[in-house]
Amino acid sequence: TKLLFEIHPDITISLLRREINFINDINDGSIKIGEMHVNKSHYRNFENNESNILKNIFATYWMKSLIKKLKKLDKFIVLTEEDKKNWRELDNSICIPNPLLSIPHEHSLLNKKNVIAVGRYSYQKGFDLLLRAWKIIAAKHPDWVLSIYGDGDRSEYIQISDELKISNTCHINKSVPNINDKFLESSIFVLSSRFEGFGMVIIEAMACGVPVVSFDCPCGPKDIIQNGINGMLVANGNINELANKICKVIDHKDLMTKLSQNGLNCIENYKIENIARLWIQLFDNLTDKNNE
Protein backbone atom coordinates (compact mmCIF):
# COMPACT_ATOMS: atom_id res chain seq x y z
CA THR A 1 0.00 0.00 0.00
CA LYS A 2 2.83 2.39 0.84
CA LEU A 3 4.37 1.83 -2.60
CA LEU A 4 1.04 2.57 -4.30
CA PHE A 5 0.76 5.85 -2.44
CA GLU A 6 4.29 6.79 -3.51
CA ILE A 7 3.57 5.98 -7.17
CA HIS A 8 0.13 7.63 -7.31
CA PRO A 9 -1.15 5.60 -10.29
CA ASP A 10 -3.83 7.03 -12.54
CA ILE A 11 -5.32 3.56 -13.06
CA THR A 12 -5.22 0.32 -11.07
CA ILE A 13 -6.15 -2.89 -12.92
CA SER A 14 -6.98 -6.20 -11.25
CA LEU A 15 -7.63 -9.66 -12.68
CA LEU A 16 -10.15 -10.07 -9.88
CA ARG A 17 -9.01 -12.92 -7.78
CA ARG A 18 -8.40 -12.22 -4.10
CA GLU A 19 -7.62 -8.56 -4.70
CA ILE A 20 -11.32 -7.87 -5.40
CA ASN A 21 -11.65 -7.99 -1.61
CA PHE A 22 -9.55 -4.85 -1.13
CA ILE A 23 -8.96 -3.05 -4.45
CA ASN A 24 -11.87 -0.65 -3.93
CA ASP A 25 -10.53 0.26 -0.49
CA ILE A 26 -7.12 1.41 -1.76
CA ASN A 27 -7.46 5.14 -1.23
CA ASP A 28 -4.82 6.32 -3.72
CA GLY A 29 -7.11 8.30 -6.04
CA SER A 30 -6.65 5.88 -8.93
CA ILE A 31 -9.36 4.65 -11.27
CA LYS A 32 -10.18 1.03 -10.46
CA ILE A 33 -10.65 -1.46 -13.33
CA GLY A 34 -11.35 -5.15 -12.98
CA GLU A 35 -10.89 -7.69 -15.77
CA MET A 36 -12.29 -11.23 -15.67
CA HIS A 37 -10.88 -14.03 -17.83
CA VAL A 38 -13.54 -16.63 -17.10
CA ASN A 39 -17.27 -16.50 -17.66
CA LYS A 40 -19.70 -15.67 -14.84
CA SER A 41 -21.21 -19.15 -14.56
CA HIS A 42 -17.82 -20.78 -14.06
CA TYR A 43 -15.89 -18.18 -12.04
CA ARG A 44 -15.94 -20.58 -9.10
CA ASN A 45 -16.26 -23.71 -11.21
CA PHE A 46 -16.77 -27.08 -9.62
CA GLU A 47 -15.40 -29.83 -11.84
CA ASN A 48 -17.46 -32.91 -12.65
CA ASN A 49 -18.70 -34.72 -9.53
CA GLU A 50 -17.42 -31.92 -7.28
CA SER A 51 -20.66 -29.97 -6.88
CA ASN A 52 -22.93 -30.51 -3.89
CA ILE A 53 -25.67 -28.66 -2.03
CA LEU A 54 -23.31 -27.03 0.46
CA LYS A 55 -20.93 -25.84 -2.24
CA ASN A 56 -23.82 -24.51 -4.34
CA ILE A 57 -25.17 -22.53 -1.37
CA PHE A 58 -21.71 -21.11 -0.79
CA ALA A 59 -21.33 -20.24 -4.49
CA THR A 60 -24.65 -18.34 -4.49
CA TYR A 61 -23.69 -16.37 -1.38
CA TRP A 62 -20.22 -15.69 -2.74
CA MET A 63 -21.57 -14.41 -6.07
CA LYS A 64 -23.87 -11.92 -4.34
CA SER A 65 -20.88 -10.64 -2.38
CA LEU A 66 -18.76 -10.45 -5.55
CA ILE A 67 -21.38 -8.43 -7.43
CA LYS A 68 -21.52 -5.83 -4.63
CA LYS A 69 -17.78 -5.36 -4.98
CA LEU A 70 -17.84 -5.28 -8.80
CA LYS A 71 -20.43 -2.49 -8.72
CA LYS A 72 -17.89 -0.26 -6.96
CA LEU A 73 -15.34 -0.57 -9.80
CA ASP A 74 -15.06 2.25 -12.32
CA LYS A 75 -15.14 -0.35 -15.11
CA PHE A 76 -15.54 -4.09 -15.24
CA ILE A 77 -14.06 -5.83 -18.32
CA VAL A 78 -15.31 -9.16 -19.67
CA LEU A 79 -13.99 -11.05 -22.67
CA THR A 80 -17.21 -11.67 -24.60
CA GLU A 81 -20.49 -9.92 -25.38
CA GLU A 82 -22.20 -13.19 -24.48
CA ASP A 83 -20.82 -13.08 -20.95
CA LYS A 84 -21.51 -9.35 -20.60
CA LYS A 85 -25.24 -10.12 -20.90
CA ASN A 86 -24.93 -12.49 -17.94
CA TRP A 87 -23.83 -9.64 -15.66
CA ARG A 88 -27.18 -7.88 -15.87
CA GLU A 89 -26.81 -6.67 -12.27
CA LEU A 90 -23.96 -4.37 -13.41
CA ASP A 91 -24.03 -1.13 -15.41
CA ASN A 92 -20.26 -0.65 -15.51
CA SER A 93 -19.29 -3.63 -17.69
CA ILE A 94 -17.81 -3.57 -21.19
CA CYS A 95 -16.34 -6.22 -23.48
CA ILE A 96 -12.71 -6.21 -24.59
CA PRO A 97 -11.56 -9.56 -26.05
CA ASN A 98 -8.14 -11.13 -25.68
CA PRO A 99 -5.60 -10.15 -28.35
CA LEU A 100 -3.76 -12.37 -30.79
CA LEU A 101 -0.14 -11.65 -29.89
CA SER A 102 1.37 -12.64 -33.24
CA ILE A 103 0.14 -13.47 -36.73
CA PRO A 104 1.74 -16.54 -38.37
CA HIS A 105 3.25 -15.97 -41.80
CA GLU A 106 2.33 -19.48 -42.94
CA HIS A 107 -1.12 -21.04 -43.33
CA SER A 108 -2.28 -24.62 -43.53
CA LEU A 109 -2.51 -25.95 -47.07
CA LEU A 110 -5.52 -28.04 -45.98
CA ASN A 111 -4.05 -31.06 -47.68
CA LYS A 112 -3.47 -33.26 -44.62
CA LYS A 113 -6.13 -35.65 -43.33
CA ASN A 114 -5.60 -34.41 -39.81
CA VAL A 115 -8.03 -33.00 -37.23
CA ILE A 116 -6.48 -31.21 -34.25
CA ALA A 117 -7.68 -30.34 -30.74
CA VAL A 118 -5.72 -28.41 -28.11
CA GLY A 119 -6.18 -27.85 -24.38
CA ARG A 120 -5.59 -29.12 -20.86
CA TYR A 121 -6.68 -32.68 -20.19
CA SER A 122 -9.59 -31.70 -17.96
CA TYR A 123 -13.36 -32.06 -17.71
CA GLN A 124 -13.79 -28.51 -19.03
CA LYS A 125 -12.19 -29.26 -22.39
CA GLY A 126 -14.61 -32.10 -23.19
CA PHE A 127 -12.13 -34.44 -24.83
CA ASP A 128 -14.23 -37.36 -23.61
CA LEU A 129 -17.05 -36.01 -25.80
CA LEU A 130 -14.68 -35.48 -28.72
CA LEU A 131 -13.42 -39.06 -28.55
CA ARG A 132 -16.97 -40.38 -28.72
CA ALA A 133 -17.63 -38.15 -31.72
CA TRP A 134 -14.40 -39.39 -33.29
CA LYS A 135 -15.63 -42.99 -33.16
CA ILE A 136 -18.47 -41.93 -35.48
CA ILE A 137 -16.13 -39.97 -37.74
CA ALA A 138 -13.51 -42.73 -37.94
CA ALA A 139 -16.15 -45.20 -39.13
CA LYS A 140 -16.86 -42.91 -42.09
CA HIS A 141 -13.34 -41.62 -42.68
CA PRO A 142 -10.85 -44.26 -41.46
CA ASP A 143 -8.01 -42.50 -43.30
CA TRP A 144 -8.31 -39.36 -41.14
CA VAL A 145 -6.43 -38.87 -37.85
CA LEU A 146 -7.36 -36.96 -34.69
CA SER A 147 -4.45 -35.45 -32.75
CA ILE A 148 -4.99 -33.90 -29.31
CA TYR A 149 -2.26 -31.82 -27.63
CA GLY A 150 -2.23 -30.62 -24.04
CA ASP A 151 -0.87 -30.60 -20.51
CA GLY A 152 -2.15 -32.75 -17.68
CA ASP A 153 -3.02 -36.36 -17.03
CA ARG A 154 -3.82 -38.13 -20.30
CA SER A 155 -4.55 -41.55 -18.83
CA GLU A 156 -8.35 -41.18 -18.68
CA TYR A 157 -8.52 -40.21 -22.35
CA ILE A 158 -6.12 -42.91 -23.47
CA GLN A 159 -8.36 -45.39 -21.66
CA ILE A 160 -11.48 -44.03 -23.39
CA SER A 161 -9.71 -44.21 -26.74
CA ASP A 162 -8.80 -47.84 -26.10
CA GLU A 163 -12.32 -48.73 -24.98
CA LEU A 164 -13.80 -47.13 -28.10
CA LYS A 165 -11.22 -48.95 -30.25
CA ILE A 166 -10.13 -45.74 -31.99
CA SER A 167 -6.53 -45.59 -30.79
CA ASN A 168 -5.24 -46.41 -34.28
CA THR A 169 -6.62 -43.09 -35.62
CA CYS A 170 -6.50 -41.02 -32.42
CA HIS A 171 -3.27 -39.68 -30.94
CA ILE A 172 -3.40 -38.23 -27.42
CA ASN A 173 -0.21 -36.19 -27.11
CA LYS A 174 1.60 -34.07 -24.59
CA SER A 175 1.83 -30.34 -25.26
CA VAL A 176 4.43 -29.13 -27.75
CA PRO A 177 6.63 -25.99 -27.69
CA ASN A 178 5.11 -24.51 -30.87
CA ILE A 179 1.50 -25.50 -31.48
CA ASN A 180 1.41 -23.49 -34.72
CA ASP A 181 3.57 -26.19 -36.30
CA LYS A 182 0.80 -28.68 -35.56
CA PHE A 183 -1.93 -26.34 -36.79
CA LEU A 184 -0.11 -26.07 -40.11
CA GLU A 185 -0.22 -29.87 -40.43
CA SER A 186 -4.00 -29.93 -39.86
CA SER A 187 -7.11 -29.32 -41.96
CA ILE A 188 -9.71 -28.95 -39.18
CA PHE A 189 -9.54 -27.66 -35.61
CA VAL A 190 -12.21 -28.79 -33.15
CA LEU A 191 -13.10 -27.19 -29.82
CA SER A 192 -15.09 -29.62 -27.67
CA SER A 193 -15.14 -27.59 -24.45
CA ARG A 194 -18.08 -27.67 -22.07
CA PHE A 195 -17.34 -24.02 -21.22
CA GLU A 196 -14.72 -21.36 -21.92
CA GLY A 197 -13.76 -17.88 -20.81
CA PHE A 198 -13.08 -16.79 -24.38
CA GLY A 199 -11.64 -19.59 -26.49
CA MET A 200 -8.30 -18.09 -27.50
CA VAL A 201 -7.31 -21.28 -29.27
CA ILE A 202 -10.11 -20.67 -31.80
CA ILE A 203 -8.48 -17.52 -33.17
CA GLU A 204 -5.03 -19.11 -32.94
CA ALA A 205 -6.27 -21.89 -35.24
CA MET A 206 -7.97 -19.38 -37.54
CA ALA A 207 -4.73 -17.40 -37.76
CA CYS A 208 -3.08 -20.53 -39.18
CA GLY A 209 -5.86 -20.90 -41.74
CA VAL A 210 -7.38 -23.97 -40.05
CA PRO A 211 -11.20 -24.25 -40.30
CA VAL A 212 -12.90 -24.42 -36.90
CA VAL A 213 -15.71 -26.67 -35.69
CA SER A 214 -16.76 -25.80 -32.14
CA PHE A 215 -19.36 -26.53 -29.52
CA ASP A 216 -21.49 -23.43 -28.92
CA CYS A 217 -20.45 -23.50 -25.27
CA PRO A 218 -20.57 -20.58 -22.86
CA CYS A 219 -18.78 -18.29 -23.43
CA GLY A 220 -16.74 -17.30 -26.46
CA PRO A 221 -17.31 -19.38 -29.58
CA LYS A 222 -20.46 -17.56 -30.69
CA ASP A 223 -18.68 -14.21 -30.26
CA ILE A 224 -16.00 -15.33 -32.71
CA ILE A 225 -17.77 -17.74 -35.07
CA GLN A 226 -20.49 -16.94 -37.59
CA ASN A 227 -21.94 -20.36 -38.15
CA GLY A 228 -21.26 -21.67 -41.64
CA ILE A 229 -19.26 -18.58 -42.61
CA ASN A 230 -15.97 -18.51 -40.67
CA GLY A 231 -16.54 -21.68 -38.67
CA MET A 232 -19.12 -24.26 -37.64
CA LEU A 233 -21.05 -24.09 -34.37
CA VAL A 234 -22.50 -27.21 -32.77
CA ALA A 235 -25.15 -27.43 -30.03
CA ASN A 236 -23.18 -27.66 -26.81
CA GLY A 237 -22.45 -31.27 -25.86
CA ASN A 238 -24.18 -32.78 -28.91
CA ILE A 239 -21.79 -35.57 -29.89
CA ASN A 240 -23.68 -36.68 -33.01
CA GLU A 241 -23.91 -33.14 -34.38
CA LEU A 242 -20.22 -32.57 -33.68
CA ALA A 243 -19.37 -35.70 -35.68
CA ASN A 244 -21.73 -34.74 -38.49
CA LYS A 245 -20.34 -31.22 -38.88
CA ILE A 246 -16.74 -32.41 -38.87
CA CYS A 247 -17.69 -34.95 -41.54
CA LYS A 248 -19.41 -32.19 -43.51
CA VAL A 249 -16.20 -30.15 -43.61
CA ILE A 250 -14.20 -33.26 -44.55
CA ASP A 251 -16.62 -34.09 -47.36
CA HIS A 252 -16.87 -30.59 -48.84
CA LYS A 253 -13.52 -29.10 -49.83
CA ASP A 254 -15.19 -25.87 -50.94
CA LEU A 255 -16.67 -25.42 -47.46
CA MET A 256 -13.29 -26.16 -45.87
CA THR A 257 -11.65 -23.52 -48.05
CA LYS A 258 -14.37 -20.94 -47.33
CA LEU A 259 -14.14 -21.43 -43.58
CA SER A 260 -10.36 -21.15 -43.75
CA GLN A 261 -10.37 -17.90 -45.72
CA ASN A 262 -13.12 -16.25 -43.70
CA GLY A 263 -11.39 -17.30 -40.49
CA LEU A 264 -8.23 -15.56 -41.66
CA ASN A 265 -10.24 -12.43 -42.40
CA CYS A 266 -11.85 -12.61 -38.95
CA ILE A 267 -8.62 -12.46 -36.99
CA GLU A 268 -8.02 -8.85 -38.06
CA ASN A 269 -10.36 -7.87 -35.21
CA TYR A 270 -8.10 -9.60 -32.66
CA LYS A 271 -4.72 -8.19 -33.69
CA ILE A 272 -2.98 -6.79 -30.64
CA GLU A 273 -2.85 -3.27 -32.06
CA ASN A 274 -6.64 -3.26 -32.52
CA ILE A 275 -7.34 -4.62 -29.04
CA ALA A 276 -4.80 -2.13 -27.61
CA ARG A 277 -6.83 0.73 -29.17
CA LEU A 278 -9.87 -0.41 -27.19
CA TRP A 279 -7.85 -0.27 -23.97
CA ILE A 280 -6.38 3.13 -24.81
CA GLN A 281 -9.84 4.47 -25.59
CA LEU A 282 -11.09 3.13 -22.26
CA PHE A 283 -8.17 4.71 -20.36
CA ASP A 284 -8.64 8.05 -22.12
CA ASN A 285 -12.38 8.12 -21.44
CA LEU A 286 -11.98 7.25 -17.77
CA THR A 287 -9.13 9.70 -17.11
CA ASP A 288 -10.93 12.51 -18.97
CA LYS A 289 -14.03 11.87 -16.86
CA ASN A 290 -11.95 11.74 -13.69
CA ASN A 291 -10.38 15.14 -14.52
CA GLU A 292 -13.68 16.90 -15.13
Side-chain angles (χ1 to χ4, degrees):
T1 302
K2 181 180 178 181
L3 181 60
L4 284 174
F5 290 162
E6 290 175 352
I7 296 174
H8 295 294
D10 295 307
I11 299 170
T12 301
I13 302 175
S14 164
L15 294 181
L16 298 180
R17 301 308 288 184
R18 293 183 179 179
E19 57 267 33
I20 187 58
N21 295 312
F22 60 82
I23 185 174
N24 290 307
D25 297 325
I26 300 175
N27 189 22
D28 59 354
S30 69
I31 294 164
K32 305 300 191 298
I33 298 175
E35 183 186 14
M36 187 167 287
H37 281 222
V38 293
N39 71 62
K40 181 184 179 184
S41 299
H42 297 93
Y43 184 60
R44 282 295 176 100
N45 173 59
F46 298 131
E47 287 281 332
N48 191 27
N49 299 324
E50 290 185 7
S51 181
N52 58 44
I53 293 175
L54 184 61
K55 287 183 177 180
N56 288 339
I57 292 172
F58 170 77
T60 300
Y61 169 80
W62 189 89
M63 181 56 68
K64 289 181 179 179
S65 175
L66 173 64
I67 288 170
K68 287 181 182 179
K69 295 167 184 174
L70 294 178
K71 286 181 176 180
K72 296 179 182 179
L73 295 171
D74 292 284
K75 268 310 177 198
F76 173 54
I77 315 300
V78 295
L79 296 178
T80 67
E81 292 293 342
E82 179 184 3
D83 193 39
K84 180 184 172 185
K85 294 174 184 176
N86 294 332
W87 295 96
R88 55 187 177 275
E89 306 93 341
L90 305 177
D91 60 6
N92 59 344
S93 59
I94 63 170
C95 171
I96 300 180
N98 278 335
L100 189 64
L101 298 181
S102 62
I103 306 295
H105 298 297
E106 295 181 86
H107 303 142
S108 171
L109 298 176
L110 307 179
N111 59 357
K112 305 287 187 183
K113 295 183 178 182
N114 296 333
V115 175
I116 186 173
V118 179
R120 298 184 319 277
Y121 290 105
S122 65
Y123 173 77
Q124 175 194 346
K125 298 302 179 180
F127 292 141
D128 55 318
L129 306 177
L130 174 56
L131 292 174
R132 288 174 171 84
W134 188 254
K135 182 174 178 64
I136 299 171
I137 297 163
K140 298 179 180 179
H141 298 282
D143 52 341
W144 279 70
V145 173
L146 169 65
S147 296
I148 305 175
Y149 296 91
D151 293 320
D153 185 1
R154 298 174 291 157
S155 59
E156 174 186 351
Y157 305 98
I158 293 172
Q159 180 179 348
I160 293 173
S161 175
D162 290 340
E163 290 172 354
L164 293 173
K165 296 181 171 51
I166 55 172
S167 55
N168 58 324
T169 62
C170 176
H171 303 149
I172 300 173
N173 307 287
K174 296 180 181 178
S175 60
V176 293
N178 188 356
I179 194 61
N180 281 358
D181 291 342
K182 302 303 179 182
F183 281 138
L184 295 176
E185 298 171 359
S186 305
S187 296
I188 298 172
F189 167 76
V190 57
L191 185 128
S192 57
S193 297
R194 289 177 165 91
F195 58 90
E196 283 288 343
F198 175 62
M200 190 71 193
V201 70
I202 293 175
I203 59 174
E204 289 172 345
M206 286 180 169
C208 291
V210 184
V212 175
V213 180
S214 172
F215 277 145
D216 187 11
C217 66
C219 290
K222 71 172 53 173
D223 265 46
I224 303 169
I225 297 171
Q226 294 176 277
N227 189 32
I229 298 175
N230 65 346
M232 304 291 279
L233 287 174
V234 177
N236 196 23
N238 191 321
I239 292 170
N240 288 326
E241 186 183 351
L242 181 64
N244 290 338
K245 288 204 172 179
I246 292 173
C247 286
K248 184 175 182 179
V249 178
I250 289 174
D251 291 332
H252 296 87
K253 183 69 175 181
D254 56 338
L255 175 61
M256 183 184 290
T257 302
K258 181 180 85 167
L259 298 178
S260 170
Q261 187 56 57
N262 289 338
L264 285 167
N265 295 338
C266 164
I267 63 166
E268 183 73 22
N269 300 324
Y270 301 99
K271 286 183 176 180
I272 191 167
E273 55 266 33
N274 293 330
I275 300 300
R277 287 191 194 99
L278 298 178
W279 280 100
I280 292 169
Q281 183 180 10
L282 172 65
F283 294 159
D284 287 345
N285 290 342
L286 288 174
T287 52
D288 288 347
K289 182 178 179 180
N290 206 41
N291 292 328
E292 289 178 357

